[in-house]
Amino acid sequence: MHNLSCYNPSSFTLVGIPGLEKFHIWIGIPFCVIYAVSLVGNCILLYLIASEHSLHEPMFFFLSLLASTDLILSTTTVPKLLANLWLGSQEITFSGCLTQMFFLHFSFVVDSAILLAMAFDRYVAICLPLRYNTILTPQVILKLVVSIVVRSFSVILPDVFLLKRLPFCGTHSIPHTYCEHIGVARLASADISINIWYGFSVPLMTVISDVILIAVSYVFILCAVFRLSSQGARQKALSTCGSHVCVILMFYTPAFFSILAHRFGHRVPKNVLILFANFYVAIPPALNPVVYGVKTKQIQEKFLLLISLKKMQRLETEGDI
């Protein structure tokens, strides 16, 4: 029975942010605000793209996918974080931990692939503008989406089975606010070399390759832009890439910083690393719709139109009363 319970533990304990327990209530406030902004911003973005026919273009379709994945990423972690900080709900079932871990890593890899697809969209729009509609057909876009989901599912699903095979006979306390692959594997009473190597190889196969391909596509984009004779055309071409570049920097910069800090920042306090890891999964989903709303003229116009229509409807209702 003891051996069986090692391989099928009933639950784990998410410690939270050790050393900052007396500040848990205050720490939860900014995360709650950020999560609310993420929910409202991404839902408005999805509504605008779905309801406005003029936004039914490949770029905005990829943007809607990014918004959907951001909702999954933030919802996977932040509600449990708030329950931990405010209600002291530290326990999570073994199956719940595996589920949270899967969707956390899955949405991260999907986000990276969507950013690559958006870079390809910008490359075709700027370098091959006359062939844009013939290259990015609905069939091609569907194939891209299916390949993104299949790739992400295929590389993350083994993490679940790599954890399920491990015995957890010792402590069940996870020094974090959410479950992630290596953090859970380190609690096991067995050799986790396979987990470590697989956890190292997945970013190389997915995220690093995505970054390289995004960089290559932007080299071609910049070469095409600077070959344009008109300065106005150059500025217009660069402005269409501005929001995408901002989102890329917001997504990859803290991710690589977090990875490097966990690998080499042994002198960095644990609570600082945990706080940063939580801000990383919470802030980009909240800022992405804001960035696209500010830098994309079509979304700005549709959002202002939506606000004005709502205001007119309210005034008409008040007039009828």
Side-chain angles (χ1 to χ4, degrees):
M1 291 295 293
H2 174 71
N3 192 41
L4 183 64
S5 65
C6 285
Y7 282 92
N8 297 279
S10 59
S11 63
F12 288 116
T13 300
L14 294 169
V15 175
I17 307 174
L20 297 178
E21 288 82 2
K22 61 182 179 180
F23 301 109
H24 275 185
I25 294 177
W26 299 105
I27 293 172
I29 294 174
F31 281 105
C32 183
V33 173
I34 292 168
Y35 182 57
V37 171
S38 176
L39 285 179
V40 173
N42 285 293
C43 287
I44 290 175
L45 197 58
L46 288 170
Y47 173 77
L48 288 175
I49 294 172
S51 60
E52 294 295 335
H53 184 73
S54 61
L55 298 181
H56 293 177
E57 300 176 7
M59 181 181 74
F60 297 109
F61 177 74
F62 290 130
L63 181 56
S64 67
L65 289 179
L66 184 68
S68 302
T69 311
D70 282 343
L71 286 173
I72 295 173
L73 178 62
S74 57
T75 302
T76 298
T77 54
V78 180
K80 183 59 181 175
L81 166 68
L82 295 176
N84 191 321
L85 297 180
W86 286 349
L87 306 176
S89 177
Q90 296 182 322
E91 189 175 9
I92 185 170
T93 63
F94 182 57
S95 58
C97 185
L98 293 181
T99 302
Q100 186 186 51
M101 181 272 299
F102 172 80
F103 281 105
L104 172 68
H105 295 308
F106 173 77
S107 55
F108 178 81
V109 176
V110 170
D111 261 352
S112 179
I114 292 171
L115 291 176
L116 174 59
M118 295 172 80
F120 176 67
D121 171 83
R122 292 299 85 202
Y123 164 76
V124 176
I126 293 174
C127 299
L128 305 166
L130 299 179
R131 298 175 57 194
Y132 183 82
N133 291 326
T134 58
I135 294 176
L136 286 173
T137 62
Q139 292 80 9
V140 171
I141 293 172
L142 181 61
K143 289 178 182 178
L144 282 173
V145 173
V146 171
S147 63
I148 287 171
V149 174
V150 170
R151 184 193 77 159
S152 304
F153 185 85
S154 301
V155 299
I156 300 301
L157 186 63
D159 285 345
V160 176
F161 295 102
L162 286 173
L163 288 178
K164 284 180 71 70
R165 72 182 180 87
L166 295 173
F168 296 90
C169 301
T171 179
H172 289 173
S173 296
I174 302 173
H176 214 304
T177 57
Y178 55 76
C179 297
E180 53 93 18
H181 178 215
I182 299 301
V184 177
R186 285 187 177 133
L187 302 180
S189 309
D191 180 35
I192 61 169
S193 299
I194 297 176
N195 298 71
I196 292 173
W197 281 108
Y198 190 76
F200 179 74
S201 62
V202 166
L204 288 178
M205 292 187 297
T206 57
V207 178
I208 302 298
S209 61
D210 291 344
V211 172
I212 293 171
L213 291 173
I214 288 172
V216 170
S217 63
Y218 268 95
V219 168
F220 285 112
I221 287 171
L222 289 175
C223 290
V225 167
F226 288 115
R227 281 199 300 265
L228 296 174
S229 57
S230 169
Q231 185 177 356
R234 286 198 295 269
Q235 289 178 346
K236 184 179 179 181
L238 290 173
S239 67
T240 62
C241 300
S243 53
H244 184 231
V245 171
C246 289
V247 169
I248 288 172
L249 292 175
M250 287 191 305
F251 180 78
Y252 287 115
T253 303
F256 288 128
F257 178 83
S258 181
I259 292 170
L260 292 173
H262 276 89
R263 296 285 180 184
F264 306 108
H266 302 297
R267 295 183 180 180
V268 181
K270 187 70 176 178
N271 50 27
V272 174
L273 292 177
I274 294 172
L275 267 176
F276 187 84
N278 279 282
F279 276 118
Y280 164 65
V281 298
I283 291 179
L287 290 183
N288 288 348
V290 175
V291 169
Y292 274 99
V294 170
K295 288 188 169 289
T296 308
K297 187 177 180 181
Q298 296 100 310
I299 294 177
Q300 269 186 12
E301 292 173 350
K302 301 305 176 186
F303 179 73
L304 293 174
L305 180 62
L306 176 66
I307 296 296
S308 61
L309 287 174
K310 293 292 183 184
K311 188 179 292 185
M312 288 176 61
Q313 290 175 356
R314 192 184 69 207
L315 292 174
E316 288 176 0
T317 303
E318 290 176 354
D320 293 338
I321 294 173

